[in-house]
Amino acid sequence: MSELIAPLAFVFIGSAILLLLVSRIGLPAVPLYIVVGLAIGEFIPPGLTLELAQLGIAFLVFVFGVNVEPERFFSVARDSEYVAAAQLFIVGGATFAVGFLLGLEPVSAAFFATAASLSSSLVGRKLAKTDIRENLIHGRLTESIHFVQDLFAIGIILVLSSAVFIPEAATTGTVLDGVALPLGYGVMILGVALAIRVYLFDFLVSLSGDSDELIMLTSIALLISFLALSEFVGVSIAVGAFAAGLAITRDFDANLSLQSALESIETFFTAIFFVTLGSLVAIPNVDVVALAIALGVSIVILKPVVTIVVLIREGYDARTACLTSFSLDQVSEFSLILAISGLLAGQITQQLFEVIILASAVTMITSTITYQYDDRIYRAFARTGVFDRVNTPNIEHGIETAKPLEDHVIVIGYGKLGSGVTAVCRDNETTVVIVESDPDRYELARDFHDTCVFGDAMSEQTWERLNPSAAKAIISTSSQRGLSSYLLSKETDADLILRADRIPEAIELHNQGAAYVTVPDFLASEQFGETISRLLEADAEPTALREENRRLLREQVSDARIVGQFPVDYLEYHR
Amino acid sequence: MGAIGVFSYIAARYLLPWLFRQAAGDRETFFILGIAWAFLFIFASEELNLSIEVGAFLAGLSLAQVQYTSELTERVRPITDLFMMVFFSSIGLRIAADELLLYWQEAVIASAVLMIGNFAIMFFLINYEDFTPETSFLGSINMVQVSEFSLVVGALAVSQGFVGEPILGYLSLMAILTMSLSTYLIKYNHQIYDRTKPIWDRFDSPDKKDVELKMYDNHAVVIGLDEVTKPVLPALKDRVGDVVIVDRNPQTADEFADSEYDVIYGDFKHSELRKEAGLKRAAVVLSSSVQSEINQIAIREANDDAIVIVEAGTVDQALDRYEEGAHYVTIPTVLTGLKIRAYLEEYFTDREGFFETVREDVKRLQAANESGSYLTDGGKATEEVNTDE
């Protein structure tokens, strides 16, 4: 016990200091942990750190497993499986070839290639957090691609960890047996986990009553049992940990407490795992640096290019494709787990291990940079004309044939606000053009309106079709600052109505020439205050209030003319 | 050890509040900082050849002085549970069955003496402070077990070679006996009191009374503050009474530190914080979170008579919340949509009038900006905090 104290103290004190120092910049924590590890490497005795790192793997994969909901897989995956698969095969294949040419053994080259092709969801999700929350299309894509890749990663870990047994099997039996047996066991363990999930877990929860502590301990006990099981049959503990996570559903009443418990455990072991990982790297020699650069290039350049091409082929516009690719250009934490399992099993050399760790620390940091400047990088590329061929927005229904656009209103975004705005314009017999870059919303807009443009509101090609100089008004329902500035820079006499989420920004945009800037929460608060006062004063029964308010909601939604919120027949008269 | 204690005290006064304020915006940093603080003390104690247990205790003591304590406790609890399980199981593993039972007669006698003695002493002390007999009785009967720290001390003594394993076995047996018995004593404490009331009534006298602890009742619980809910606080205070705000934005805690509203810094997901806010006794529950999970908990745990008002991101969610029992579900974008619709109608029919309205509106925005509202803080911290949606 006491030999653990000093290393753990270094891990956490170092991490806390670095996290505090960079808390203003918004760097993700994972690369910082690796940097801490690099710095304090000599204070941590190596044998001990490997033990710690394995614990870290177990808990990290476990928490990931808990968050996986197999039921949701198909709705989340959609287009993403192609992108994830393309990354895996094209980027992975190319990097495998490069690694092979640079003199790596096939198994080592496979590790090398995996490091290049998988992206980190811990980093990517943290970076794209705002985009995901605002449900921007590239945020959604990022999230789902990461999810699919993580599942691939588990599969790869299963396969590669089985390869460990080749040498042993070669002496006693056939090579095939060596791979197939652990693989079969791995699948069996996953099967057991699913059976527990479906048949047993609810019962375990009901046994633990309402006690948060017992539910957490039950989960940990499941984890330990699965770890023991995988150890017993000779499969990677990562597979056992994932299976344990899978055995736990998130679908029960007290799951919030389990979630927050797991969050703490995840944070605790994330720090331990990544700092330990960094501490295993010695001062790199030339070979290590050269290989790391090769790996880095394939992650920072090849991977984004492949992602962009595939996304554009899937029908997304160039900007969405670029922005998505900029949150995928780093090494996955699963590749690190693979690397360390490979090192422990003697499948890869210390040298290759260091290459992967170095490349991951660097790309996780560069990824933060490309993400922060994503729009500028996109624009720099767009100016060179590479996207010209693919970036032509689809003009649907009538723009081409009808008389030229004049005195029209351009509405950017067809969400709740956008659909309401569009309805008001049409009531007032004004021509409306809707600009939308999310395929789903675009489809919705087309169902209700004639003139829609699919494309990015910040691309020149889109604007060429909109004839802004003759527009009566441009109404943006997106609060992206970059978009607002872009619109303000357009030369047009049209009245600009923008949206901002914060008051100072709204005032600034207004001063810069916007006719009006909506701050949704501010407007909503005025309405809300009235309602609350009415509620608190009402003498009515709570249940009656509830019914009344529910009815009111329907009225409000139809008054605000928000489409896509209720079934189509409910809004039939909007057409 | 004295030096560490002094350092802990000074740090709690001057350093920690500042450190945690820096970290409170980011959940990960906040948590890692708390753990690092504990390890700093543990490591220092170890290096100085002092007891790491006391070092850890001093670290906790200084953390307890920071206003973010309750949130930190909740965040660290899972880790504590995990290691507690390991610790107590390891004590169990170290003791062979015969060692556990070697001194069983002594353990039984000591347990009996301890339980009766503890009860008598505590009853005497509480009674001496002029509390009512019921309070004295309940207070004492809840304390008739051995502390888990006796095992910590026992384990320490064994590792230092002061006592042998059988003594640890004897301590463990006492812990098992007293802890299991006291579970039932506590569970049925009111019934036991009712049955034995005549005995305790003899200690009653007219000048005995219980000090009322402040307990929220029929109050308003506000979960998270944003620009939509903040303006209604005065109305809530006015019509309901006590207002308790649960928010994991450190700015809220700072802003309302000296106001008439009570603020609990932390995440509503933690059941202890919900207890602290008295959610089950609240008359009004107002949530500005759009997270379904948070709102479902608020609806489920609130009193049947309470009015529950929550926010939703989409109409589907709103209808679900109504189904689950919310009395009012607000969708800010719908409310905004209504307003914007009115503005646009004016824009198309009476352009001059529209610009007049806009001027008024901008004035109100400016006023809000100067009065320092949530939408004015330039961003980062609040955004960080409200991101899980």
Side-chain angles (χ1 to χ4, degrees):
Chain A
M1 171 65 201
S2 58
E3 66 269 24
L4 266 178
I5 288 174
L8 284 180
F10 281 120
V11 167
F12 285 106
I13 296 171
S15 307
I17 293 172
L18 203 59
L19 280 174
L20 277 174
L21 283 180
V22 303
S23 63
R24 301 261 158 232
I25 315 175
L27 276 178
V30 171
L32 295 179
Y33 291 145
I34 297 181
V35 171
V36 171
L38 292 172
I40 64 168
E42 48 190 288
F43 299 107
I44 302 187
L48 199 65
T49 46
L50 284 179
E51 297 277 314
L52 279 181
Q54 277 193 310
L55 262 183
I57 293 178
F59 277 100
L60 286 186
V61 178
F62 171 63
V63 174
F64 170 73
V66 175
N67 291 324
V68 169
E69 292 168 75
E71 299 85 358
R72 261 186 63 221
F73 176 73
F74 294 101
S75 67
V76 174
R78 285 199 311 179
D79 301 343
S80 314
E81 71 247 29
Y82 299 114
V83 184
Q87 282 198 356
L88 196 62
F89 290 110
I90 302 174
V91 180
T95 321
F96 181 84
V98 171
F100 197 66
L101 289 176
L102 287 174
L104 293 175
E105 298 283 313
V107 174
S108 301
F111 278 93
F112 192 65
T114 316
S117 51
L118 298 175
S119 312
S120 165
S121 43
L122 278 184
V123 174
R125 271 210 285 261
K126 168 126 188 181
L127 288 179
K129 193 164 59 180
T130 329
D131 297 344
I132 293 172
R133 184 189 49 190
E134 287 178 4
N135 208 8
L136 295 181
I137 178 154
H138 53 271
R140 245 170 34 211
L141 273 172
T142 304
E143 193 182 21
S144 64
I145 292 175
H146 277 310
F147 176 68
V148 176
Q149 283 198 347
D150 288 347
L151 289 183
F152 280 158
I154 294 290
I156 295 174
I157 289 179
L158 185 56
V159 174
L160 280 180
S161 70
S162 315
V164 179
F165 293 85
I166 293 177
E168 274 175 40
T171 55
T172 55
T174 61
V175 175
L176 188 66
D177 276 354
V179 182
L181 210 59
L183 204 61
Y185 281 137
V187 173
M188 249 169 56
I189 291 179
L190 291 178
V192 173
L194 282 178
I196 293 180
R197 178 191 181 89
V198 177
Y199 298 109
L200 195 62
F201 189 73
D202 282 345
F203 173 67
L204 289 178
V205 169
S206 69
L207 276 188
S208 58
D210 270 343
S211 160
D212 295 355
E213 193 180 334
L214 273 181
I215 291 175
M216 194 202 82
L217 290 183
T218 308
S219 312
I220 302 284
L222 271 174
L223 169 64
I224 309 265
S225 320
F226 273 95
L227 290 182
L229 186 62
S230 55
E231 191 102 299
F232 181 66
V233 299
V235 212
S236 160
I237 56 163
V239 176
F242 177 71
L246 214 54
I248 293 167
T249 56
R250 294 174 60 191
D251 196 20
F252 59 97
D253 276 355
N255 82 342
L256 261 195
S257 57
L258 178 64
Q259 270 181 46
S260 49
L262 290 179
E263 190 193 329
S264 296
I265 291 179
E266 186 183 18
T267 316
F268 187 74
F269 284 102
T270 309
I272 294 181
F273 177 66
F274 290 103
V275 174
T276 325
L277 217 55
S279 76
L280 291 172
V281 175
I283 296 167
N285 57 26
V286 184
D287 283 354
V288 170
V289 174
L291 272 171
I293 290 176
L295 187 56
V297 166
S298 111
I299 293 163
V300 177
I301 296 173
L302 181 62
K303 188 149 69 175
V305 170
V306 171
T307 316
I308 292 170
V309 172
V310 175
L311 279 174
I312 288 177
R313 284 183 64 98
E314 289 288 320
Y316 292 95
D317 66 294
R319 182 164 176 271
T320 302
C322 279
L323 298 194
T324 308
S325 78
F326 292 145
S327 45
L328 294 170
D329 53 351
Q330 73 291 97
V331 174
S332 163
E333 62 272 11
F334 281 102
S335 304
L336 298 178
I337 291 174
L338 253 179
I340 197 158
S341 336
L343 181 72
L344 290 175
Q347 288 168 304
I348 61 169
T349 57
Q350 171 76 20
Q351 189 196 28
L352 181 58
F353 175 74
E354 292 186 2
V355 168
I356 295 176
I357 306 297
L358 266 188
S360 58
V362 173
T363 53
M364 280 172 177
I365 293 171
T366 55
S367 163
T368 313
I369 300 168
T370 55
Y371 182 78
Q372 262 165 7
Y373 295 98
D374 54 359
D375 231 14
R376 283 186 223 178
I377 301 176
Y378 159 69
R379 243 174 275 210
F381 279 120
R383 269 198 296 277
T384 64
V386 284
F387 298 130
D388 285 357
R389 211 161 42 84
V390 291
N391 219 6
T392 323
N394 306 322
I395 302 285
E396 302 278 349
H397 303 290
I399 274 204
E400 314 282 14
T401 53
K403 55 184 187 324
L405 288 170
E406 203 167 282
D407 237 16
H408 57 297
V409 174
I410 301 171
V411 177
I412 298 168
Y414 196 73
K416 287 196 214 67
L417 283 183
S419 59
V421 165
T422 311
V424 182
C425 296
R426 285 163 57 91
D427 287 352
N428 286 282
E429 290 170 353
T430 310
T431 318
V432 187
V433 188
I434 297 163
V435 183
E436 178 59 71
S437 63
D438 180 334
D440 291 347
R441 287 188 185 172
Y442 175 70
E443 285 303 315
L444 189 68
R446 269 185 48 189
D447 283 349
F448 288 88
H449 303 284
D450 293 335
T451 2
C452 310
V453 174
F454 178 73
D456 187 66
M458 284 167 79
S459 95
E460 290 301 323
Q461 285 86 351
T462 308
W463 282 98
E464 278 166 22
R465 309 301 183 104
L466 298 173
N467 196 16
S469 53
K472 183 185 171 84
I474 300 174
I475 305 177
S476 163
T477 60
S478 157
S479 59
Q480 275 182 74
R481 184 62 200 258
L483 178 63
S484 301
S485 307
Y486 178 81
L487 294 175
L488 280 167
S489 72
K490 285 253 150 251
E491 279 179 29
T492 165
D493 294 332
D495 293 318
L496 260 184
I497 299 182
L498 302 175
R499 173 182 168 180
D501 284 341
R502 303 197 167 268
I503 292 174
E505 190 183 325
I507 294 174
E508 203 183 318
L509 292 172
H510 186 72
N511 290 339
Q512 285 169 8
Y516 180 60
V517 184
T518 55
V519 183
D521 280 357
F522 184 74
L523 293 181
S525 73
E526 298 185 326
Q527 288 270 352
F528 187 59
E530 291 163 22
T531 317
I532 296 293
S533 307
R534 185 177 62 80
L535 267 182
L536 295 178
E537 275 168 0
D539 290 330
E541 280 285 302
T543 18
L545 271 178
R546 201 174 119 208
E547 289 310 318
E548 165 73 7
N549 285 322
R550 197 206 296 241
R551 192 184 54 73
L552 218 68
L553 172 72
R554 287 184 181 267
E555 262 176 32
Q556 285 178 337
V557 170
S558 53
D559 275 354
R561 296 294 185 89
I562 292 170
V563 299
Q565 299 290 325
F566 285 128
V568 173
D569 54 349
Y570 184 82
L571 292 158
E572 198 58 58
Y573 65 97
H574 279 172
R575 295 211 181 211
Chain B
M1 195 42 80
I4 295 182
V6 171
F7 173 71
S8 143
Y9 176 76
I10 294 174
R13 286 293 298 273
Y14 303 102
L15 179 63
L16 274 184
W18 179 81
L19 271 180
F20 273 95
R21 194 182 306 264
Q22 299 299 309
D26 186 272
R27 293 171 64 74
E28 197 158 359
T29 312
F30 179 77
F31 177 77
I32 296 285
L33 181 63
I35 303 273
W37 189 254
F39 271 107
L40 181 69
F41 278 73
I42 296 173
F43 180 62
S45 315
E46 203 211 11
E47 286 297 296
L48 300 171
N49 282 327
L50 301 166
S51 148
I52 57 168
E53 288 83 355
V54 178
F57 176 70
L58 287 176
L61 209 59
S62 51
L63 286 177
Q65 314 306 317
V66 182
Q67 58 165 334
Y68 308 119
T69 313
S70 44
E71 169 69 5
L72 190 64
T73 316
E74 289 308 310
R75 296 286 302 282
V76 176
R77 188 187 299 279
I79 310 283
T80 326
D81 287 348
L82 183 65
F83 287 114
M84 231 156 69
M85 175 178 74
V86 175
F87 173 72
F88 287 111
S89 318
S90 78
I91 286 191
L93 284 176
R94 267 161 52 182
I95 305 165
D98 49 345
E99 282 169 353
L100 181 69
L101 296 177
L102 192 61
Y103 295 117
W104 72 270
Q105 287 153 320
E106 287 86 344
V108 171
I109 296 169
S111 299
V113 171
L114 175 112
M115 291 180 82
I116 298 168
N118 233 4
F119 177 81
I121 294 169
M122 285 315 297
F123 188 88
F124 171 76
L125 287 176
I126 302 176
N127 186 54
Y128 183 74
E129 293 290 327
D130 279 346
F131 282 93
T132 59
E134 183 173 6
T135 309
S136 310
F137 175 84
L138 294 177
S140 324
I141 203 164
N142 290 358
M143 285 199 255
V144 295
Q145 66 293 89
V146 171
S147 157
E148 61 274 18
F149 279 105
S150 72
L151 291 183
V152 177
V153 174
L156 194 65
V158 171
S159 64
Q160 300 283 342
F162 295 146
V163 296
E165 302 275 334
I167 300 295
L168 189 57
Y170 155 81
L171 284 176
S172 307
L173 188 60
M174 265 184 83
I176 295 171
L177 284 176
T178 56
M179 284 177 182
S180 351
L181 259 176
S182 73
T183 308
Y184 293 97
L185 291 178
I186 292 172
K187 188 166 181 196
Y188 298 108
N189 53 10
H190 284 280
Q191 284 91 327
I192 299 174
Y193 175 75
D194 290 342
R195 292 272 174 92
T196 53
K197 201 163 176 290
I199 309 175
W200 317 114
D201 278 350
R202 276 185 267 161
F203 295 93
D204 208 359
S205 72
D207 44 319
K208 293 210 164 167
K209 64 176 190 312
D210 289 339
V211 181
E212 281 294 324
L213 283 175
K214 177 166 180 176
M215 195 162 91
Y216 295 119
D217 199 14
N218 268 326
H219 57 304
V221 174
V222 178
I223 305 156
L225 267 195
D226 62 8
E227 197 51 35
V228 181
T229 46
K230 197 178 159 198
V232 305
L233 288 181
L236 277 179
K237 180 86 195 167
D238 215 35
R239 297 199 171 83
V240 185
D242 284 336
V243 176
V244 189
I245 303 164
V246 182
D247 198 326
R248 49 178 211 207
N249 181 349
Q251 287 171 357
T252 308
D254 292 347
E255 183 180 344
F256 290 97
D258 300 315
S259 73
E260 50 186 346
Y261 311 112
D262 296 336
V263 183
I264 299 173
Y265 170 80
D267 195 326
F268 190 72
K269 283 179 188 159
H270 300 310
S271 54
E272 289 299 320
L273 293 194
R274 300 199 291 275
K275 258 182 222 158
E276 195 180 331
L279 179 65
K280 288 184 177 152
R281 296 181 304 275
V284 174
V285 180
L286 169 62
S287 161
S288 70
S289 166
V290 295
Q291 283 188 64
S292 301
E293 293 156 332
I294 298 253
N295 291 335
Q296 280 164 338
I297 283 204
I299 295 168
R300 198 168 57 228
E301 290 194 355
N303 192 326
D304 286 345
D305 304 328
I307 293 188
V308 185
I309 302 157
V310 299
E311 227 173 276
T314 67
V315 179
D316 279 345
Q317 279 176 12
L319 293 178
D320 285 348
R321 294 302 91 77
Y322 275 125
E323 205 56 51
E324 287 153 12
H327 299 105
Y328 178 64
V329 185
T330 165
I331 308 174
T333 25
V334 171
L335 295 180
T336 317
L338 290 173
K339 277 263 176 182
I340 291 181
R341 182 181 160 78
Y343 281 175
L344 281 182
E345 286 285 359
E346 198 174 14
Y347 174 77
F348 287 117
T349 49
D350 173 14
R351 198 155 175 272
E352 284 313 305
F354 167 76
F355 280 107
E356 187 53 43
T357 314
V358 163
R359 265 192 291 279
E360 287 302 312
D361 205 84
V362 171
K363 266 186 212 154
R364 284 211 305 280
L365 278 176
Q366 255 149 2
N369 195 20
E370 277 148 26
S371 74
S373 95
Y374 268 74
L375 295 166
T376 59
D377 68 321
K380 210 63 197 170
T382 330
E383 250 171 64
E384 278 288 320
V385 171
N386 296 328
T387 32
D388 281 3
E389 276 117 44

